[in-house]
Amino acid sequence: MAKNTICLWYDKDAESAARFYAEVFPDSRLTSVHRAPGDYPSGKEGDVLTVEFTVAGIACLGLNGGPMFKHNEAFSFQIATDDQEETDRYWNAIVNNGGEESACGWCKDKWGISWQITPRVLTDAMAAGGGEAKRAFEAMMTMRKIDVAAIEAARRG
C-alpha cells in the first residue's frame, strides 16, 4: 500500500466502482479486495469491506462503510484530457453509467464521486492570463461538458 492513499467511502459498491474506474481510465486497476473478518454496523462477516485500487495513477482505498456519509463536490478527481475525443470518452462513460452532468466540466458518477473532465486547452488558457483567460473562462461558464473547439475559439478572441 502506498504511504498516502485516498480513502473513499461507499455505501456498499466500492468493488463495482473500482472495476468501473479501471475499465475507463488509463493507469487504473483494482489491486485487491478485502472481506470483513466479522460483522460490522453496515455489513456482515465475509462482505467486501475494502478494496485497494488505482485511478489514473492515484492510490485509493474504497471502504464499504454504509449509507451514513455521502460524497459531495468538496472532493473531486480532475482528469486532464488532450482533445475532444478523450474528453467525450471519459465524460460519456461516467454520465452514461448512471452518473449526472453538472457545470463547467464537472460530472458525478453513480456512486456520488465528482469528476472534473478538463481539457488541457482550458487549463492552458487560464494559465495564459489576461484577456485570453477571461474569454476562455466566460465560454467555460456556459458549458456542461467542455467543448474544446469553443475554448480554442474563445482563446483566439
Side-chain angles (χ1 to χ4, degrees):
M1 181 179 267
K3 187 168 185 87
N4 184 10
T5 303
I6 295 171
C7 181
L8 299 168
W9 184 291
Y10 293 86
D11 182 357
K12 62 182 180 301
D13 293 329
E15 184 176 1
S16 297
R19 288 186 189 285
F20 173 76
Y21 305 148
E23 290 174 12
V24 172
F25 299 104
D27 195 17
S28 301
R29 65 194 165 283
L30 173 62
T31 309
S32 61
V33 176
H34 304 282
R35 299 195 175 274
D39 293 349
Y40 59 107
S42 61
K44 59 186 183 308
E45 182 177 344
D47 288 351
V48 173
L49 181 61
T50 62
V51 295
E52 294 176 42
F53 60 102
T54 304
V55 175
I58 303 294
C60 298
L61 177 78
L63 170 65
N64 283 331
M68 44 271 206
F69 298 115
K70 301 294 182 198
H71 297 285
N72 65 49
E73 290 78 4
F75 173 87
S76 63
F77 283 103
Q78 185 178 47
I79 304 293
T81 59
D82 293 323
D83 54 32
Q84 191 68 55
E85 180 184 350
E86 187 179 20
T87 302
D88 292 348
R89 185 171 60 247
Y90 299 148
W91 181 276
N92 293 339
I94 291 167
V95 171
N96 294 340
N97 187 50
E100 61 186 62
E101 295 184 353
S102 189
C104 304
W106 289 62
C107 57
K108 193 178 288 190
D109 67 29
K110 73 178 180 180
W111 300 280
I113 301 289
S114 291
W115 297 82
Q116 297 178 60
I117 309 301
T118 309
R120 293 181 197 280
V121 68
L122 177 59
T123 53
D124 291 347
M126 301 308 285
E132 185 176 334
K134 183 175 176 32
R135 291 187 304 273
F137 180 78
E138 288 172 350
M140 176 204 65
M141 293 300 293
T142 68
M143 299 175 186
R144 288 186 175 271
K145 178 175 60 177
I146 301 300
D147 179 333
V148 170
I151 295 297
E152 289 170 340
R155 289 185 77 179
R156 290 189 300 271

